[in-house]
Amino acid sequence: MADYTEQDIEFMREALAEARLAASEGEVPIGAVIVCGGKVIARGHNRKETDRDPTAHAEILAIRRAAPLFPSWRIEDSALYVTMEPCPMCAGAILSARIGRLFYGIPDYKAGAVRTLYRLLEDERLNHRCEVVPNLLAEESLALVQEFFRGQRKMGKK
């Protein structure tokens, strides 16, 4: 039995739409949405190049947009859908925000801090843990990233 529902697939499709926006802006195509109460409450996509901000990752931007909707800094009873496995910075933000569930598309072999290089979200030494569901719509997420970097190589970038 799958660890996700048809509704989870729809939310990941929303994250993929954000990733496409990132690509259209010349950013690495990673998108994220935060869901609470069955509704998307915040969105984000990579904007590191556009904002000249190393912290402008999709997850961070979505968390920044979601936080003011809650009575405190805790984004409890929520889920984050992101097209690529979060890096250490984003995994730390997920823990700090007390997000309860993470769905991601593809592993990040260079910086993955959820399952690939580290397992920060499930580390029992930390005061919060987050349920993790990997590989949701992984083929679509991978295709976006591959297409983006093929285009970058053709233009002599990255």
Side-chain angles (χ1 to χ4, degrees), residues 2-30:
D3 291 332
Y4 55 86
T5 66
E6 285 296 320
Q7 191 174 37
D8 293 322
I9 291 170
E10 289 306 312
F11 292 137
M12 184 58 91
R13 289 192 196 292
E14 295 284 329
L16 284 161
E18 286 294 317
R20 286 186 201 90
L21 281 174
S24 75
E25 296 170 5
E27 300 279 353
V28 175
I30 300 172

mmCIF file of all heavy atoms in Angstrom, residues 2-30:
data_model
loop_
_atom_site.group_PDB
_atom_site.id
_atom_site.type_symbol
_atom_site.label_atom_id
_atom_site.label_comp_id
_atom_site.label_asym_id
_atom_site.label_seq_id
_atom_site.Cartn_x
_atom_site.Cartn_y
_atom_site.Cartn_z
ATOM 1 N N ALA A 2 0.506 2.224 -0.808
ATOM 2 C CA ALA A 2 1.279 3.457 -0.932
ATOM 3 C C ALA A 2 1.145 4.304 0.330
ATOM 4 O O ALA A 2 0.137 4.244 1.032
ATOM 5 C CB ALA A 2 0.791 4.243 -2.142
ATOM 6 N N ASP A 3 2.180 5.099 0.578
ATOM 7 C CA ASP A 3 2.180 6.009 1.717
ATOM 8 C C ASP A 3 1.554 7.352 1.367
ATOM 9 O O ASP A 3 1.705 8.315 2.104
ATOM 10 C CB ASP A 3 3.617 6.248 2.201
ATOM 11 C CG ASP A 3 4.214 5.010 2.831
ATOM 12 O OD1 ASP A 3 3.462 4.195 3.377
ATOM 13 O OD2 ASP A 3 5.440 4.882 2.765
ATOM 14 N N TYR A 4 0.891 7.418 0.224
ATOM 15 C CA TYR A 4 0.307 8.675 -0.215
ATOM 16 C C TYR A 4 -1.053 8.425 -0.874
ATOM 17 O O TYR A 4 -1.379 7.300 -1.239
ATOM 18 C CB TYR A 4 1.255 9.408 -1.164
ATOM 19 C CG TYR A 4 1.681 8.583 -2.359
ATOM 20 C CD1 TYR A 4 0.901 8.536 -3.506
ATOM 21 C CD2 TYR A 4 2.855 7.848 -2.337
ATOM 22 C CE1 TYR A 4 1.280 7.771 -4.590
ATOM 23 C CE2 TYR A 4 3.252 7.084 -3.421
ATOM 24 C CZ TYR A 4 2.454 7.059 -4.544
ATOM 25 O OH TYR A 4 2.814 6.299 -5.621
ATOM 26 N N THR A 5 -1.813 9.500 -1.007
ATOM 27 C CA THR A 5 -3.160 9.432 -1.564
ATOM 28 C C THR A 5 -3.215 10.171 -2.901
ATOM 29 O O THR A 5 -2.254 10.843 -3.291
ATOM 30 C CB THR A 5 -4.162 10.089 -0.599
ATOM 31 O OG1 THR A 5 -3.864 11.491 -0.531
ATOM 32 C CG2 THR A 5 -4.095 9.464 0.797
ATOM 33 N N GLU A 6 -4.346 10.079 -3.552
ATOM 34 C CA GLU A 6 -4.565 10.853 -4.784
ATOM 35 C C GLU A 6 -4.442 12.351 -4.501
ATOM 36 O O GLU A 6 -3.922 13.101 -5.329
ATOM 37 C CB GLU A 6 -5.940 10.538 -5.391
ATOM 38 C CG GLU A 6 -6.012 9.194 -6.071
ATOM 39 C CD GLU A 6 -5.082 9.088 -7.277
ATOM 40 O OE1 GLU A 6 -4.964 10.062 -8.055
ATOM 41 O OE2 GLU A 6 -4.463 8.023 -7.432
ATOM 42 N N GLN A 7 -4.906 12.774 -3.330
ATOM 43 C CA GLN A 7 -4.789 14.186 -2.965
ATOM 44 C C GLN A 7 -3.319 14.587 -2.820
ATOM 45 O O GLN A 7 -2.927 15.680 -3.235
ATOM 46 C CB GLN A 7 -5.565 14.471 -1.677
ATOM 47 C CG GLN A 7 -5.693 15.952 -1.392
ATOM 48 C CD GLN A 7 -6.586 16.237 -0.212
ATOM 49 O OE1 GLN A 7 -6.579 15.501 0.772
ATOM 50 N NE2 GLN A 7 -7.350 17.305 -0.303
ATOM 51 N N ASP A 8 -2.493 13.696 -2.266
ATOM 52 C CA ASP A 8 -1.063 13.977 -2.171
ATOM 53 C C ASP A 8 -0.451 14.159 -3.558
ATOM 54 O O ASP A 8 0.395 15.041 -3.769
ATOM 55 C CB ASP A 8 -0.331 12.853 -1.432
ATOM 56 C CG ASP A 8 -0.718 12.760 0.035
ATOM 57 O OD1 ASP A 8 -0.918 13.810 0.676
ATOM 58 O OD2 ASP A 8 -0.826 11.619 0.531
ATOM 59 N N ILE A 9 -0.882 13.349 -4.509
ATOM 60 C CA ILE A 9 -0.394 13.476 -5.886
ATOM 61 C C ILE A 9 -0.765 14.846 -6.441
ATOM 62 O O ILE A 9 0.060 15.510 -7.087
ATOM 63 C CB ILE A 9 -0.937 12.329 -6.768
ATOM 64 C CG1 ILE A 9 -0.299 11.010 -6.334
ATOM 65 C CG2 ILE A 9 -0.697 12.602 -8.244
ATOM 66 C CD1 ILE A 9 -0.923 9.776 -6.952
ATOM 67 N N GLU A 10 -1.977 15.283 -6.186
ATOM 68 C CA GLU A 10 -2.395 16.613 -6.665
ATOM 69 C C GLU A 10 -1.559 17.722 -6.037
ATOM 70 O O GLU A 10 -1.170 18.675 -6.712
ATOM 71 C CB GLU A 10 -3.887 16.835 -6.400
ATOM 72 C CG GLU A 10 -4.786 15.994 -7.273
ATOM 73 C CD GLU A 10 -4.493 16.160 -8.759
ATOM 74 O OE1 GLU A 10 -4.378 17.320 -9.247
ATOM 75 O OE2 GLU A 10 -4.350 15.132 -9.446
ATOM 76 N N PHE A 11 -1.268 17.602 -4.755
ATOM 77 C CA PHE A 11 -0.436 18.619 -4.110
ATOM 78 C C PHE A 11 0.983 18.605 -4.686
ATOM 79 O O PHE A 11 1.590 19.671 -4.875
ATOM 80 C CB PHE A 11 -0.406 18.429 -2.596
ATOM 81 C CG PHE A 11 -1.730 18.713 -1.932
ATOM 82 C CD1 PHE A 11 -2.209 17.865 -0.942
ATOM 83 C CD2 PHE A 11 -2.507 19.808 -2.290
ATOM 84 C CE1 PHE A 11 -3.429 18.109 -0.317
ATOM 85 C CE2 PHE A 11 -3.728 20.057 -1.685
ATOM 86 C CZ PHE A 11 -4.189 19.213 -0.695
ATOM 87 N N MET A 12 1.510 17.429 -4.998
ATOM 88 C CA MET A 12 2.834 17.382 -5.610
ATOM 89 C C MET A 12 2.799 17.990 -7.004
ATOM 90 O O MET A 12 3.767 18.619 -7.431
ATOM 91 C CB MET A 12 3.368 15.949 -5.642
ATOM 92 C CG MET A 12 4.784 15.864 -6.178
ATOM 93 S SD MET A 12 6.011 16.849 -5.264
ATOM 94 C CE MET A 12 6.547 15.636 -4.089
ATOM 95 N N ARG A 13 1.693 17.840 -7.698
ATOM 96 C CA ARG A 13 1.568 18.491 -9.015
ATOM 97 C C ARG A 13 1.636 20.015 -8.863
ATOM 98 O O ARG A 13 2.176 20.703 -9.728
ATOM 99 C CB ARG A 13 0.279 18.066 -9.714
ATOM 100 C CG ARG A 13 0.312 16.629 -10.185
ATOM 101 C CD ARG A 13 -0.852 16.310 -11.130
ATOM 102 N NE ARG A 13 -1.051 14.886 -11.290
ATOM 103 C CZ ARG A 13 -0.236 14.042 -11.897
ATOM 104 N NH1 ARG A 13 0.890 14.487 -12.398
ATOM 105 N NH2 ARG A 13 -0.515 12.760 -11.994
ATOM 106 N N GLU A 14 1.103 20.528 -7.758
ATOM 107 C CA GLU A 14 1.211 21.966 -7.476
ATOM 108 C C GLU A 14 2.675 22.356 -7.264
ATOM 109 O O GLU A 14 3.127 23.411 -7.725
ATOM 110 C CB GLU A 14 0.389 22.333 -6.243
ATOM 111 C CG GLU A 14 -1.110 22.147 -6.406
ATOM 112 C CD GLU A 14 -1.746 23.240 -7.234
ATOM 113 O OE1 GLU A 14 -1.257 24.382 -7.214
ATOM 114 O OE2 GLU A 14 -2.755 22.945 -7.899
ATOM 115 N N ALA A 15 3.426 21.509 -6.561
ATOM 116 C CA ALA A 15 4.858 21.770 -6.361
ATOM 117 C C ALA A 15 5.594 21.715 -7.705
ATOM 118 O O ALA A 15 6.496 22.530 -7.959
ATOM 119 C CB ALA A 15 5.451 20.766 -5.373
ATOM 120 N N LEU A 16 5.217 20.796 -8.565
ATOM 121 C CA LEU A 16 5.821 20.718 -9.897
ATOM 122 C C LEU A 16 5.533 21.980 -10.711
ATOM 123 O O LEU A 16 6.396 22.451 -11.459
ATOM 124 C CB LEU A 16 5.333 19.474 -10.633
ATOM 125 C CG LEU A 16 5.961 18.165 -10.171
ATOM 126 C CD1 LEU A 16 5.101 16.973 -10.606
ATOM 127 C CD2 LEU A 16 7.377 18.034 -10.695
ATOM 128 N N ALA A 17 4.329 22.535 -10.556
ATOM 129 C CA ALA A 17 4.000 23.790 -11.245
ATOM 130 C C ALA A 17 4.926 24.909 -10.754
ATOM 131 O O ALA A 17 5.396 25.742 -11.544
ATOM 132 C CB ALA A 17 2.536 24.158 -11.020
ATOM 133 N N GLU A 18 5.199 24.930 -9.464
ATOM 134 C CA GLU A 18 6.145 25.915 -8.922
ATOM 135 C C GLU A 18 7.538 25.685 -9.489
ATOM 136 O O GLU A 18 8.255 26.645 -9.798
ATOM 137 C CB GLU A 18 6.181 25.844 -7.393
ATOM 138 C CG GLU A 18 4.963 26.426 -6.722
ATOM 139 C CD GLU A 18 4.840 27.935 -6.920
ATOM 140 O OE1 GLU A 18 5.857 28.655 -6.810
ATOM 141 O OE2 GLU A 18 3.717 28.387 -7.171
ATOM 142 N N ALA A 19 7.934 24.430 -9.627
ATOM 143 C CA ALA A 19 9.250 24.116 -10.196
ATOM 144 C C ALA A 19 9.344 24.616 -11.636
ATOM 145 O O ALA A 19 10.385 25.143 -12.048
ATOM 146 C CB ALA A 19 9.509 22.616 -10.123
ATOM 147 N N ARG A 20 8.268 24.487 -12.389
ATOM 148 C CA ARG A 20 8.261 24.991 -13.770
ATOM 149 C C ARG A 20 8.408 26.510 -13.788
ATOM 150 O O ARG A 20 9.078 27.064 -14.657
ATOM 151 C CB ARG A 20 6.989 24.554 -14.491
ATOM 152 C CG ARG A 20 6.996 23.102 -14.865
ATOM 153 C CD ARG A 20 5.783 22.708 -15.710
ATOM 154 N NE ARG A 20 5.581 21.289 -15.618
ATOM 155 C CZ ARG A 20 4.820 20.673 -14.709
ATOM 156 N NH1 ARG A 20 4.128 21.357 -13.819
ATOM 157 N NH2 ARG A 20 4.730 19.358 -14.705
ATOM 158 N N LEU A 21 7.791 27.184 -12.828
ATOM 159 C CA LEU A 21 7.972 28.641 -12.718
ATOM 160 C C LEU A 21 9.437 28.976 -12.469
ATOM 161 O O LEU A 21 9.972 29.916 -13.071
ATOM 162 C CB LEU A 21 7.120 29.215 -11.574
ATOM 163 C CG LEU A 21 5.653 29.435 -11.835
ATOM 164 C CD1 LEU A 21 4.951 29.863 -10.553
ATOM 165 C CD2 LEU A 21 5.470 30.497 -12.904
ATOM 166 N N ALA A 22 10.073 28.226 -11.593
ATOM 167 C CA ALA A 22 11.492 28.455 -11.316
ATOM 168 C C ALA A 22 12.304 28.315 -12.611
ATOM 169 O O ALA A 22 13.137 29.179 -12.921
ATOM 170 C CB ALA A 22 11.997 27.476 -10.255
ATOM 171 N N ALA A 23 12.058 27.248 -13.352
ATOM 172 C CA ALA A 23 12.797 27.024 -14.599
ATOM 173 C C ALA A 23 12.574 28.170 -15.576
ATOM 174 O O ALA A 23 13.517 28.624 -16.232
ATOM 175 C CB ALA A 23 12.381 25.694 -15.224
ATOM 176 N N SER A 24 11.343 28.661 -15.652
ATOM 177 C CA SER A 24 11.041 29.763 -16.577
ATOM 178 C C SER A 24 11.765 31.047 -16.195
ATOM 179 O O SER A 24 11.956 31.930 -17.025
ATOM 180 C CB SER A 24 9.531 30.008 -16.654
ATOM 181 O OG SER A 24 9.062 30.670 -15.491
ATOM 182 N N GLU A 25 12.200 31.138 -14.937
ATOM 183 C CA GLU A 25 12.944 32.299 -14.446
ATOM 184 C C GLU A 25 14.452 32.046 -14.455
ATOM 185 O O GLU A 25 15.220 32.840 -13.917
ATOM 186 C CB GLU A 25 12.483 32.644 -13.028
ATOM 187 C CG GLU A 25 11.041 33.078 -12.957
ATOM 188 C CD GLU A 25 10.504 33.203 -11.539
ATOM 189 O OE1 GLU A 25 11.272 33.035 -10.566
ATOM 190 O OE2 GLU A 25 9.297 33.493 -11.403
ATOM 191 N N GLY A 26 14.877 30.902 -15.025
ATOM 192 C CA GLY A 26 16.286 30.580 -15.079
ATOM 193 C C GLY A 26 16.833 30.004 -13.789
ATOM 194 O O GLY A 26 18.047 29.939 -13.593
ATOM 195 N N GLU A 27 15.957 29.558 -12.925
ATOM 196 C CA GLU A 27 16.343 28.971 -11.638
ATOM 197 C C GLU A 27 16.296 27.455 -11.722
ATOM 198 O O GLU A 27 15.533 26.892 -12.514
ATOM 199 C CB GLU A 27 15.366 29.418 -10.540
ATOM 200 C CG GLU A 27 15.284 30.919 -10.325
ATOM 201 C CD GLU A 27 16.409 31.460 -9.459
ATOM 202 O OE1 GLU A 27 17.192 30.658 -8.902
ATOM 203 O OE2 GLU A 27 16.503 32.687 -9.345
ATOM 204 N N VAL A 28 17.085 26.789 -10.878
ATOM 205 C CA VAL A 28 16.996 25.331 -10.799
ATOM 206 C C VAL A 28 15.548 24.986 -10.451
ATOM 207 O O VAL A 28 14.973 25.564 -9.514
ATOM 208 C CB VAL A 28 17.975 24.772 -9.744
ATOM 209 C CG1 VAL A 28 17.786 23.278 -9.574
ATOM 210 C CG2 VAL A 28 19.413 25.089 -10.139
ATOM 211 N N PRO A 29 14.913 24.096 -11.216
ATOM 212 C CA PRO A 29 13.480 23.851 -11.073
ATOM 213 C C PRO A 29 13.098 23.015 -9.847
ATOM 214 O O PRO A 29 12.885 21.815 -9.935
ATOM 215 C CB PRO A 29 13.107 23.141 -12.369
ATOM 216 C CG PRO A 29 14.353 22.439 -12.762
ATOM 217 C CD PRO A 29 15.483 23.338 -12.324
ATOM 218 N N ILE A 30 13.025 23.685 -8.732
ATOM 219 C CA ILE A 30 12.540 23.059 -7.507
ATOM 220 C C ILE A 30 11.370 23.897 -7.015
ATOM 221 O O ILE A 30 11.460 25.129 -6.926
ATOM 222 C CB ILE A 30 13.641 22.962 -6.444
ATOM 223 C CG1 ILE A 30 14.805 22.121 -6.984
ATOM 224 C CG2 ILE A 30 13.085 22.357 -5.155
ATOM 225 C CD1 ILE A 30 16.025 22.106 -6.117
#
